[in-house]
Amino acid sequence: MDHHLAVGYREMHVQVIGVLLVALLARAFSGVTAFAQDYRKIFEKEWIEAEKYVAGQREVWDVIFTEFGIPTERAVAVVFPELVRYSALRDYVETAAVKALYLQKGVKRADFSIGRFQMKPSFAEDIERTWMRTEWRHEYGIYFDLSETLEARRARILRLDDRNWQCIYLALFLKLLYRRFPELAAEDAVEQVRICAAAYNASYYGTYEAVRRKCARRFFYTDFIPTKETRRYAYSEIAVCFYRIRN
């Protein structure tokens, strides 16, 4: 091989390796940077209040999530950002709106979030429809009325307004999520929390990679009415931060 050609080849080889190393380091540090944000410090009072609520409910939650084979810490991490954002006043207003409008016209007229876990009627409807197509409905003896009737909507609202039923809905959601994406179980614990949180916050429809891409989306905020100055965060990273602190 020509000497100059050999030297040029070696230099190009070194450059390629350098580019690959930079890319790998950038990817590694991007995750570190995301976690480096101290969300507990950012949210302070709201974070502390959310932790107190978790502590007060933990005994009951352990029973419910264990019944469905879902690790409690994972389930709690998935909804913890909603606990941080929760506002009793907003919940009262939104629940009243749902009761007045959803009962009469369904999600087309009212699809506001309800309760500590901030679940929408449309979310519950999706879970119920999917659940009723599985054999688990017989195994657990949980059946839903999927009809478009006032009685069915009233029963759904009562469930969404109930603390224990919100946990059951969350357990069903996670159980169905792992059924939809079997590869999720092969991820490490932190990544499972991240992906589950993204699916909970932004829907699990689409491909597995599509759900994974949602992990970095910064649409989460705590302002009652968002403005241009409203700070937005990645929902999944708050969930992961809580999970890492607790584990």
Side-chain angles (χ1 to χ4, degrees):
M1 179 181 293
D2 179 83
H3 172 70
H4 295 292
L5 183 60
V7 171
Y9 176 80
R10 285 196 297 271
E11 290 178 347
M12 182 178 68
H13 187 63
V14 170
Q15 289 176 351
V16 170
I17 292 176
V19 170
L20 290 174
L21 285 174
V22 169
L24 288 172
L25 288 171
R27 182 176 180 180
F29 280 110
S30 65
V32 172
T33 301
F35 173 61
Q37 290 197 67
D38 188 350
Y39 292 107
R40 183 166 51 178
K41 185 175 181 180
I42 290 173
F43 297 116
E44 295 186 289
K45 180 182 177 181
E46 291 82 1
W47 189 283
I48 293 172
E49 289 301 314
E51 287 184 319
K52 288 180 180 178
Y53 183 76
V54 169
Q57 299 296 314
R58 181 58 191 260
E59 186 175 349
V60 175
W61 289 358
D62 278 339
V63 173
I64 294 175
F65 293 124
T66 298
E67 174 68 20
F68 291 94
I70 305 295
T72 304
E73 286 295 345
R74 185 177 306 160
V76 175
V78 167
V79 295
F80 191 77
E82 298 292 5
L83 299 181
V84 170
R85 179 163 58 181
Y86 177 80
S87 163
L89 176 60
R90 178 170 58 188
D91 181 61
Y92 172 79
V93 172
E94 292 182 344
T95 300
V98 167
K99 288 178 178 178
L101 297 174
Y102 173 75
L103 291 179
Q104 298 299 322
K105 300 294 183 179
V107 296
K108 292 181 180 180
R109 287 293 301 276
D111 196 28
F112 300 104
S113 301
I114 299 176
R116 295 271 180 176
F117 292 179
Q118 291 292 278
M119 292 176 171
K120 295 181 178 181
S122 60
F123 171 84
E125 289 182 5
D126 284 344
I127 295 303
E128 292 174 14
R129 280 193 296 268
T130 306
W131 178 262
M132 290 297 287
R133 292 195 294 266
T134 73
E135 68 282 0
W136 287 330
R137 68 189 189 282
H138 303 308
E139 180 181 344
Y140 287 92
I142 297 178
Y143 303 93
F144 299 106
D145 180 357
L146 303 180
S147 64
E148 288 291 333
T149 63
L150 180 64
E151 291 72 21
R153 289 195 290 267
R154 179 179 288 115
R156 187 171 298 115
I157 289 298
L158 290 175
R159 288 193 294 270
L160 284 173
D161 224 5
D162 182 87
R163 292 180 181 181
N164 292 343
W165 258 105
Q166 285 220 344
C167 288
I168 293 173
Y169 273 125
L170 177 58
L172 300 188
F173 166 77
L174 291 172
K175 199 169 182 68
L176 291 169
L177 182 64
Y178 279 86
R179 182 189 182 98
R180 179 180 175 85
F181 300 121
E183 60 268 48
L184 177 57
E187 305 279 2
D188 63 46
V190 170
E191 194 64 16
Q192 288 186 49
V193 168
R194 180 178 284 110
I195 295 171
C196 287
Y200 181 78
N201 179 243
S203 169
Y204 63 22
Y205 291 111
T207 66
Y208 186 64
E209 286 305 315
V211 174
R212 186 193 291 275
R213 286 194 295 272
K214 293 175 182 177
C215 294
R217 296 173 64 179
R218 294 180 174 273
F219 291 143
F220 178 82
Y221 58 85
T222 56
D223 293 353
F224 182 70
I225 300 177
T227 65
K228 292 181 179 179
E229 287 71 39
T230 295
R231 294 188 62 183
R232 300 173 187 270
Y233 309 90
Y235 184 99
S236 291
E237 293 307 324
I238 300 172
V240 165
C241 181
F242 172 77
Y243 184 79
R244 280 178 156 153
I245 289 172
R246 298 292 288 262
N247 293 277

